[in-house]
Amino acid sequence: MKPTPADWPRLSSSLFYRDANRMIDWLCDAFGFSVRLKVEGDNGRIEHSELEFGEALIMVGDERAGEQPRWGVRMVSPITAGGNTQCLMLFVDDVDAHCAHARSKGATIVDEPAVHDYGEDYWADRSYGALDPEGHMWWFTTRLRDPKPKSV
């Protein structure tokens, strides 16, 4: 497999919001992302942005819900879609502190921090689930135990 371009993960996701400018600020403040790039179009519309969290990268833009969707595909906020459209998982250093901070910034915590232990052959994480103000589902986790090494 060929390496990815410099500074790009193999997989990144795009999120669409009704008010991408506001949500970029919120994602940085509440969840700890930083802005790598922000491209504004007419009337301040976010055409493209790149937000980083460690080596993770997400792209955020204003939704395209009108009669002229890009590539013939509606790209919408969960508000417009009528519910969540995906779930993103992000590893953080301290899930409890992250949760407390996100809650203080207005995240809706849908699953309180808890240990999810899948047995010694698998892993154990401490994780929580949250919705951002426009309804995207986020899962934040801290690894507690890696899988038991397999015998050769």
Side-chain angles (χ1 to χ4, degrees):
M1 189 176 295
K2 293 181 182 178
T4 62
D7 297 329
W8 277 89
R10 187 149 309 271
L11 176 68
S12 56
S13 185
S14 295
L15 300 176
F16 297 96
Y17 292 97
R18 285 189 176 173
D19 187 348
N21 252 320
R22 179 179 72 90
M23 289 307 304
I24 288 168
D25 291 343
W26 190 89
L27 291 166
C28 291
D29 188 36
F31 288 165
F33 283 92
S34 60
V35 176
R36 177 166 105 168
L37 174 70
K38 186 159 73 168
V39 179
E40 293 186 45
D42 295 338
N43 301 318
R45 175 183 174 76
I46 300 299
E47 297 297 336
H48 178 76
S49 73
E50 298 168 7
L51 306 183
E52 297 175 310
F53 188 100
E55 68 277 0
L57 176 74
I58 61 170
M59 295 170 281
V60 172
D62 279 302
E63 71 177 5
R64 296 178 181 273
E67 295 182 25
Q68 297 287 325
R70 192 170 192 181
W71 306 301
V73 177
R74 294 176 71 234
M75 298 177 212
V76 298
S77 163
I79 295 170
T80 302
N84 183 50
T85 58
Q86 63 184 321
C87 181
L88 296 163
M89 187 179 97
L90 191 64
F91 282 94
V92 298
D93 292 339
D94 182 340
V95 79
D96 293 285
H98 193 276
C99 180
H101 180 77
R103 185 190 320 270
S104 77
K105 298 298 182 177
T108 301
I109 307 305
V110 297
D111 193 32
E112 293 292 334
V115 173
H116 300 96
D117 190 335
Y118 297 95
E120 67 181 38
D121 289 337
Y122 299 99
W123 61 89
D125 292 336
R126 183 163 177 81
S127 309
Y128 79 96
L131 294 175
D132 68 32
E134 289 203 20
H136 283 291
M137 177 71 187
W138 295 83
W139 193 254
F140 297 96
T141 191
T142 300
R143 178 63 40 99
L144 301 177
R145 185 190 70 243
D146 285 319
K148 183 171 123 182
K150 297 188 190 264
S151 308
V152 259

